Amino acid sequence: MSRIVLFCFIIINVSALCQKIYFIKEQAGNTPIPFVKVTPDSGIPFLADIDGMISLPEQTITIRLHQTGYIDTLIELSRVQNFTILMNN
């Protein structure tokens, strides 16, 4: 039984290590933007959480962001500093 628990723990941690966390914020006020539509270059579109936080696989190169009231944005993740993505309105 303990081997199964250890195996599950290892699998969960390895999959978590393959993800990067980013925060989507307003450029002017640096406040989080909730529920931004995120379209990664490979994968299925999804929404940021209420705090503007998203989790992306490490192999993701670019994402497209869309939110009503903001300029649609194409981001190259290699240019993002401090894991913060800024959007203009």
Side-chain angles (χ1 to χ4, degrees):
M1 179 67 173
S2 65
R3 288 184 183 186
I4 293 173
V5 172
L6 178 62
F7 178 74
C8 290
F9 180 75
I10 290 171
I11 295 298
I12 290 169
N13 283 330
V14 168
S15 65
L17 291 175
C18 297
Q19 301 281 317
K20 287 191 177 179
I21 305 293
Y22 294 90
F23 296 92
I24 303 171
K25 297 183 177 186
E26 289 183 350
Q27 186 161 0
N30 206 30
T31 57
I33 306 172
F35 310 119
V36 175
K37 181 179 179 185
V38 179
T39 306
D41 54 4
S42 60
I44 300 171
F46 61 94
L47 296 178
D49 72 4
I50 196 164
D51 298 316
M53 187 176 79
I54 59 173
S55 177
L56 295 168
E58 279 199 34
Q59 65 268 20
T60 305
I61 297 169
T62 60
I63 57 172
R64 184 171 305 277
L65 304 175
H66 174 77
Q67 178 65 294
T68 304
Y70 292 87
I71 298 171
D72 287 354
T73 307
L74 178 65
I75 297 290
E76 187 176 325
L77 295 175
S78 64
R79 297 178 180 251
V80 173
Q81 296 178 1
N82 300 322
F83 299 99
T84 302
I85 300 168
L86 302 175
M87 290 185 75
N88 289 316
N89 52 355

